[in-house]
Amino acid sequence: MSSGFTLGVFYTVIRPEERWILEAAAARGLAVERLADDAVTFPVERNGFDADLVLNRSVSHTRSLYALRFFEHYGVPTVNPYDVVSLCGDKVLCSLRLQESGIPTPRTTVALTPEAALKALDDLGYPAVLKPPVGSWGRLLAKVDDREEAEQIIEHKAALNSPWHSVFYVQEYVQKPERDLRAFVVGDELVAAMYRRSADWRTNASRGATGEAVTPPPEMTELVLKAARAVGGGVLAVDLMESPRGLLVHEVNPTPEFKTLTAATGANVAGRILDYVQEVARR
Amino acid sequence: MTQCPECDARLERKDRIEGELFTCPECGVELEVNGTDPFAVSYAPKEQEDWGE
């Protein structure tokens, strides 16, 4: 990496995570080019940016995908790369890759029409979970307890008239304790892990779940790193559930938050991300 | 110094940076810094369907 290295940070808003990243970059003496995802423009013919590497922190899946593809086009490496974000940002594609890689996951079926979704739910059995293929923070997820509820929820989804709610990602409802597990991976390392506890069945920190540090047992570390490698690696949060048949990976997040994890574990996640970014830049 | 667009509370920049989200201490609305000199704020962007981690 040359001394003139400039780190691009592509972002939507500055949350504590982005602020810590900017502070960690400043502490390392790195020049930073701030790239607000609602303001930058991407000429097809030329690279109009100074960044030698771009760290993606945009919360928008759509903006992330186009931007990352442009940086790839300009020959600028990104963390994470387009392929990883494209895969992990879509629950359908991510499930396929996890399954292809032998990672245990909840039983999942995808349906492409409301009628087929009803059949998928009937086949999988109730209760089940219905998720949009894109989006997170537990938004518009539904726990479906019976067929009557299924009919109503599917009707409401159809009324949203959105392409993402016209694809039905149907998953078994895993009987788990009132918690799930989040493991934060940077490169080949599991940096920190926590339980996310919530009385709500959705254990997203954004829905008020609290974090509690956990020392991952070797089998969990092995599974987490295997899942991260399966999707292409980088900076990822692997979410797992403790089910009666063992640990199941239910999500791999490609632009993970780490405010709750940092508070729960004291791990210097932002610093580790910056170490990794510098490592990638040296390649 | 600026004012909250929701409740008119007087807001100080403190060490906030451009783009940073914060909550109005008076009314609790989520705000975004869109200028530091002079200090300016607006409502935080509304969450969209494809937003997430």
Side-chain angles (χ1 to χ4, degrees):
Chain A
M1 189 172 55
S2 77
S3 56
F5 175 79
T6 298
L7 171 67
V9 179
F10 185 68
Y11 69 97
T12 309
V13 286
I14 306 290
R15 301 164 293 176
E17 287 89 343
E18 287 70 37
R19 178 141 184 167
W20 293 333
I21 285 167
L22 293 172
E23 287 170 355
R28 285 164 167 74
L30 299 180
V32 169
E33 184 179 21
R34 286 179 47 159
L35 305 164
D37 69 3
D38 62 350
V40 291
T41 57
F42 299 93
V44 170
E45 300 79 11
R46 61 177 178 85
N47 177 5
F49 302 101
D50 297 326
D52 297 297
L53 182 147
V54 171
L55 176 62
N56 179 40
R57 293 295 307 170
S58 169
V59 296
S60 160
H61 185 57
T62 313
R63 293 179 199 171
S64 295
L65 286 186
Y66 281 116
L68 293 170
R69 183 64 189 89
F70 263 98
F71 290 118
E72 188 177 274
H73 172 70
Y74 298 144
V76 176
T78 60
V79 172
N80 291 317
Y82 172 89
D83 285 347
V84 173
V85 176
S86 148
L87 188 70
C88 297
D90 184 319
K91 290 183 179 66
V92 177
L93 302 182
C94 191
S95 285
L96 290 174
R97 178 60 61 86
L98 293 174
Q99 168 75 19
E100 286 159 3
S101 306
I103 313 281
T105 60
R107 288 184 298 131
T108 304
T109 301
V110 173
L112 306 175
T113 64
E115 298 73 21
L118 208 50
K119 182 176 183 309
L121 282 159
D122 284 346
D123 291 348
L124 209 55
Y126 299 96
V129 178
L130 203 50
K131 302 180 181 181
V134 169
S136 65
W137 301 328
R139 192 179 48 243
L140 294 171
L141 264 58
K143 176 168 173 268
V144 188
D145 286 321
D146 53 42
R147 188 169 223 275
E148 196 180 349
E149 244 182 54
E151 286 169 357
Q152 290 164 1
I153 290 167
I154 288 170
E155 188 184 342
H156 290 168
K157 280 186 164 290
L160 292 173
N161 209 16
S162 143
W164 279 314
H165 289 284
S166 310
V167 175
F168 300 86
Y169 180 92
V170 183
Q171 200 159 60
E172 69 169 309
Y173 178 75
V174 174
Q175 298 293 343
K176 62 178 184 0
E178 286 180 348
R179 65 184 191 196
D180 77 351
L181 283 155
R182 162 157 293 200
F184 204 99
V185 176
V186 178
D188 295 324
E189 186 195 351
L190 193 166
V191 174
M194 65 174 174
Y195 285 122
R196 299 189 298 183
R197 291 185 189 279
S198 175
D200 190 307
W201 62 278
R202 294 166 294 188
T203 44
N204 304 81
S206 56
R207 296 203 164 263
T210 54
E212 180 192 321
V214 60
T215 305
E219 64 273 18
M220 175 180 159
T221 302
E222 193 185 328
L223 179 60
V224 164
L225 294 179
K226 189 176 172 190
R229 276 194 300 271
V231 299
V235 175
L236 300 160
V238 179
D239 294 342
L240 308 99
M241 289 189 278
E242 301 155 287
S243 83
R245 56 180 197 276
L247 286 173
L248 304 175
V249 175
H250 60 101
E251 235 172 78
V252 183
N253 297 278
T255 321
E257 291 161 1
F258 49 90
K259 185 177 70 175
T260 307
L261 183 76
T262 299
T265 66
N268 180 8
V269 179
R272 189 62 195 91
I273 292 173
L274 262 289
D275 292 343
Y276 177 72
V277 159
Q278 291 181 281
E279 241 172 79
V280 173
R282 280 187 216 105
R283 285 177 195 162
Chain B
M1 189 77 79
T2 189
Q3 285 183 310
C4 172
E6 181 77 7
C7 72
D8 291 339
R10 289 157 70 86
L11 302 170
E12 285 180 52
R13 182 192 160 195
K14 299 185 179 168
D15 66 343
R16 294 183 180 109
I17 59 175
E18 177 119 16
E20 189 162 356
L21 293 182
F22 71 103
T23 304
C24 171
E26 291 293 321
C27 69
V29 75
E30 199 175 22
L31 300 169
E32 180 183 14
V33 177
N34 46 25
T36 54
D37 189 20
F39 184 46
V41 302
S42 61
Y43 291 109
K46 196 165 169 274
E47 192 176 305
Q48 295 181 22
E49 200 183 338
D50 70 329
W51 285 19
E53 292 188 78

